[in-house]
């Protein structure tokens, strides 16, 4: 007798990817196998779930309803199967993380290298991005972001010390243009700014004075989405840039950069590993959380 559940995982993969080839890659099967499994499921149900054209893949009305109904249930089944596997298992599998590009201490590799040594059966897939999105919807197990931007319904544990931002410039630039004494002086300086994408406005530099937070919309002479480029330009004397003190510290210690406007840059909560609340967390994620806890107690 044909299993009524056959093909549902294929349907979910196609519905999420909206692409047969990508769904096949995710499942580790050929595009043809995806198409055949989906066709068998549609034949059993007696209704089309996927609308296919030469240019796109979309869900039919029945497909949308089926997707909304089965997706939470399949996730619960997978969690239950994972729970049974983990009863006698070591942490294993692929652990997908999305990490902010400025989470310097986490990205240094020391903590993650220690985790890999402790859990050799876990493989890491790390995406570096500053885009904000639903990590569950995107298929990530956890993310690393500044605590202040993490959703309240997430579990969050610190993975860094409190952070602080500051402006910075090279000694050569300051010798030519002078040192800003107040954030409003930045309007008279060449600035090196950041923005995540070309369709967004440059990041407004944030400061605090007498307990009041404010920001400055600098008009950057250089704008980029890469902190490394910002630092290189600043070290070369192109202007003043702005970012995490932790990121600038090696350059400050070498004398390539000088910190500026520090009196207007108080500390704030640092980076946190965050993940969704679930009745039972995957063993691979629990192992990382435990490793972070042990590392912070040392």
């Amino acid at each position: 007798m044909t299993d009524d559940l056959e093909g549902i995982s294929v349907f979910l993969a196609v519905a999420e990817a909206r692409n047969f080839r990508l769904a096949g890659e995710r499942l580790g099967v050929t595009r043809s196998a995806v198409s055949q499994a989906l066709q068998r499921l549609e034949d059993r149900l007696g209704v089309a779930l996927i609308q296919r054209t030469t240019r796109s893949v979309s869900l039919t009305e029945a497909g949308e309803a089926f997707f909304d109904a089965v997706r939470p249930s399949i996730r619960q089944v997978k969690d239950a199967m994972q729970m049974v596997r983990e009863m006698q298992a070591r942490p294993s599998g692929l652990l997908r993380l999305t990490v902010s590009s400025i989470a310097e201490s986490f990205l240094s590799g020391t903590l993650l290298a220690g985790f890999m040594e402790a859990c050799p059966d876990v493989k890491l897939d790390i995406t570096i991005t500053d885009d904000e999105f639903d990590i569950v919807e995107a298929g990530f197990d956890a993310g690393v972001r500044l605590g202040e931007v993490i959703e309240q319904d997430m579990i969050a544990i610190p993975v860094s010390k409190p952070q602080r931002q500051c402006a910075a410039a090279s000694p050569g630039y300051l010798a030519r243009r002078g040192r800003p004494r107040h954030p409003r002086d930045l309007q008279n300086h060449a600035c090196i700014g950041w923005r995540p994408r070309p369709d967004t406005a440059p990041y407004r530099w944030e400061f605090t004075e007498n307990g009041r937070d404010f920001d400055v919309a600098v008009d950057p002479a250089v704008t980029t989405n890469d902190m490394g480029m910002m630092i290189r330009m600043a070290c070369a004397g192109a202007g003043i840039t702005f970012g995490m003190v932790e990121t600038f510290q090696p350059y400050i210690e070498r004398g390539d950069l000088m910190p500026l406007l520090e009196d207007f840059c108080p500390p704030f909560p640092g980076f946190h590993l965050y993940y969704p609340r679930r009745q039972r967390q995957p063993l691979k994620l629990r192992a990382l959380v435990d490793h972070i806890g042990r590392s912070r107690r040392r």
Side-chain angles (χ1 to χ4, degrees):
M1 182 171 62
T2 302
D3 187 348
D4 284 342
L5 297 179
E6 180 188 0
I8 291 181
S9 60
V10 173
F11 165 72
L12 290 175
V14 173
E16 291 171 351
R18 303 299 170 102
N19 183 289
F20 278 62
R21 179 182 59 79
L22 293 178
E25 291 178 357
R26 175 176 170 181
L27 296 169
V29 300
T30 65
R31 177 175 178 170
S32 175
V34 169
S35 181
Q36 292 172 19
L38 185 60
Q39 185 64 60
R40 289 193 296 269
L41 176 63
E42 291 178 324
D43 290 345
R44 292 201 309 277
L45 294 175
V47 64
L49 301 173
I50 301 291
Q51 180 68 43
R52 312 163 180 83
T53 71
T54 57
R55 293 177 177 269
S56 65
V57 173
S58 60
L59 299 183
T60 64
E61 183 179 359
E64 292 279 7
F66 191 60
F67 179 73
D68 291 340
V70 302
R71 192 183 189 200
S73 299
I74 291 298
R75 181 172 290 164
Q76 290 178 354
V77 170
K78 289 182 176 179
D79 287 346
M81 294 176 66
Q82 186 67 21
M83 176 187 68
V84 173
R85 293 191 190 102
E86 290 175 356
M87 285 183 174
Q88 300 297 328
R90 298 168 60 185
S92 63
L94 183 65
L95 186 62
R96 297 190 67 213
L97 305 176
T98 172
V99 184
S100 170
S101 67
I102 56 174
E104 199 71 29
S105 58
F106 189 85
L107 291 174
S108 69
T110 303
L111 185 145
L112 292 177
F115 172 70
M116 293 174 65
E117 183 177 357
C119 301
D121 295 330
V122 177
K123 294 185 178 180
L124 296 175
D125 185 325
I126 303 170
T127 297
I128 310 299
T129 177
D130 294 298
D131 290 341
E132 294 184 18
F133 54 87
D134 185 338
I135 61 170
V136 176
E137 185 73 22
F140 289 96
D141 295 290
V144 175
R145 292 284 184 275
L146 286 171
E148 61 190 28
V149 300
I150 296 174
E151 298 88 342
Q152 293 298 311
D153 61 345
M154 292 283 178
I155 298 174
I157 60 172
V159 292
S160 78
K161 298 176 181 178
Q163 298 291 299
R164 199 163 58 81
Q165 296 191 106
C166 76
S170 70
Y173 174 86
L174 297 176
R176 295 194 315 272
R177 300 288 300 273
R179 178 188 292 262
R181 302 297 177 184
H182 190 277
R184 61 174 169 263
D185 298 338
L186 292 168
Q187 303 294 342
N188 300 318
H189 283 268
C191 292
I192 303 165
W194 177 86
R195 63 179 173 187
R197 297 179 305 276
D199 60 347
T200 58
Y203 169 70
R204 298 170 70 96
W205 297 8
E206 300 176 80
F207 300 96
T208 300
E209 184 176 26
N210 299 323
R212 182 181 64 87
D213 297 332
F214 65 100
D215 56 52
V216 175
V218 299
D219 182 20
V222 178
T223 306
T224 178
N225 67 338
D226 182 68
M227 177 57 70
M229 182 66 178
M230 294 166 63
I231 292 174
R232 288 190 292 273
M233 292 294 289
C235 289
I240 299 173
T241 195
F242 190 79
M244 295 291 181
V245 172
E246 187 177 72
T247 302
F248 293 151
Q249 196 60 43
Y251 304 90
I252 293 173
E253 291 175 356
R254 291 200 298 266
D256 296 334
L257 292 176
M258 298 184 68
L260 307 169
L261 304 173
E262 292 181 283
D263 291 343
F264 301 92
C265 300
F268 52 87
F271 292 95
H272 289 65
L273 179 86
Y274 69 101
Y275 50 93
R277 297 181 185 274
R278 293 175 181 162
Q279 187 172 3
R280 186 176 181 85
Q281 296 292 344
L283 182 59
K284 57 189 177 182
L285 178 56
R286 296 206 309 272
L288 176 60
V289 171
D290 292 343
H291 178 75
I292 290 172
R294 289 192 296 271
S295 298
R296 290 186 60 81
R297 287 193 294 270
R298 290 173 188 160

